[in-house]
């Protein structure tokens, strides 16, 4: 991360650091402070690096060019999650889950980067649990909502069964569900006009 990027994230991450301190996740003299001190950066800059590593790892393991087996298991988090610095917001939860993950495994910032950016072409990713934990926390707090899709009768009639099933699988692969009731839908799919 360049100095400019770190500067941009400093303002964004100040409320995150305060929230993490209130939650007891970050305390003076803890592993986060020590690791930041070794690197000669502030805790905000340190967290900026953590966020950058997690976000980049998502692109490696869950992005468009990732191995299909991993993409079928989970989708990337929306970028809005990484831009939500509100107290207890998406960015806070991503940082908290990642710091707890790092502590459990004894990872430094460099160790986190090495492990999360390793082997993007393998069918499995041993650290997928981190992404599952982040997704779970965001869903629990209502900050990650998956779509409920209604396929209009026109769409159902215009597609052959195989294409219709592929469409359903795409929705499910992205964490959503398909409903037969319009009233339950957050998204309604109609034919192109």
């Amino acid at each position: 991360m360049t100095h400019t990027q770190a500067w941009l994230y400093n303002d964004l991450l100040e409320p995150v650091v305060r929230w993490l301190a209130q939650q007891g996740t970050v305390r003076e003299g803890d592993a986060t402070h020590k690791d930041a001190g070794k690197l000669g950066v502030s805790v905000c800059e340190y967290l900026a690096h953590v966020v950058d590593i997690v976000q980049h790892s998502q692109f490696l393991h869950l992005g468009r060019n990732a191995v299909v087996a991993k993409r079928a298991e989970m989708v990337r988090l929306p970028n809005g999650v990484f831009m939500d610095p509100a107290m207890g917001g998406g960015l806070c939860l991503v940082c908290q889950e990642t710091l707890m993950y790092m502590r459990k495994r004894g990872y430094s910032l460099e160790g986190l980067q090495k492990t999360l950016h390793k082997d993007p072409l393998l069918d499995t990713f041993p650290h997928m649990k981190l992404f599952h934990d982040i997704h779970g926390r965001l869903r629990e707090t209502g900050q990650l909502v998956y779509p409920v899709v209604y396929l209009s009768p026109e769409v159902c009639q215009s597609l052959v069964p195989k294409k219709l099933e592929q469409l359903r699988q795409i929705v499910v692969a992205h964490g959503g569900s398909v409903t037969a009731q319009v009233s339950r839908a957050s998204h309604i799919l109609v034919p192109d006009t």
Side-chain angles (χ1 to χ4, degrees):
M1 179 174 294
T2 66
H3 175 68
T4 307
Q5 288 171 315
W7 174 80
L8 289 171
Y9 270 108
N10 267 342
D11 290 339
L12 192 63
L13 288 164
E14 283 177 12
V16 174
V17 172
R18 283 195 304 273
W19 184 82
L20 290 170
Q22 288 174 355
Q23 300 298 309
T25 306
V26 173
R27 290 184 295 277
E28 195 67 42
D30 69 358
T32 303
H33 279 82
K34 289 177 184 173
D35 206 14
K38 286 179 192 173
L39 297 171
V41 297
S42 69
V43 173
C44 286
E45 285 180 89
Y46 181 84
L47 287 178
H49 289 291
V50 168
V51 170
D52 186 55
I53 291 167
V54 170
Q55 201 166 22
H56 185 69
S57 180
Q58 280 197 123
F59 283 99
L60 287 174
H61 296 285
L62 303 173
R64 181 173 301 225
N65 297 324
V67 175
V68 174
K70 289 187 273 191
R71 282 195 353 230
E73 186 176 340
M74 178 179 293
V75 296
R76 288 180 300 149
L77 290 169
N79 283 334
V81 168
F82 294 95
M83 300 306 289
D84 176 15
M87 299 292 255
L91 190 56
C92 291
L93 297 175
V94 168
C95 289
Q96 186 177 45
E97 286 297 322
T98 306
L99 290 174
M100 291 185 325
Y101 189 83
M102 289 171 70
R103 286 192 189 133
K104 284 179 189 172
R105 286 157 182 76
Y107 291 152
S108 64
L109 190 64
E110 184 180 331
L112 179 71
Q113 183 169 359
K114 283 180 181 176
T115 56
L116 290 187
H117 292 180
K118 187 170 88 174
D119 300 327
L121 299 177
L122 294 181
D123 284 345
T124 59
F125 180 53
H127 303 283
M128 192 66 86
K129 182 176 178 356
L130 172 62
F131 295 130
H132 280 291
D133 291 347
I134 292 170
H135 277 248
R137 280 290 299 285
L138 291 167
R139 275 195 311 274
E140 285 171 15
T141 59
Q143 295 177 48
L144 184 62
V145 180
Y146 292 115
V148 178
V149 179
Y150 173 77
L151 304 174
S152 70
E154 296 85 11
V155 167
C156 293
Q157 291 167 359
S158 68
L159 296 174
V160 295
K162 184 177 180 180
K163 288 286 184 188
L164 191 58
E165 185 54 34
Q166 285 177 337
L167 188 57
R168 284 188 174 103
Q169 288 175 356
I170 290 169
V171 170
V172 171
H174 284 83
S177 60
V178 177
T179 183
Q181 299 172 341
V182 178
S183 59
R184 291 192 58 232
S186 62
H187 294 71
I188 300 173
L189 192 63
V190 296
D192 246 353
T193 56

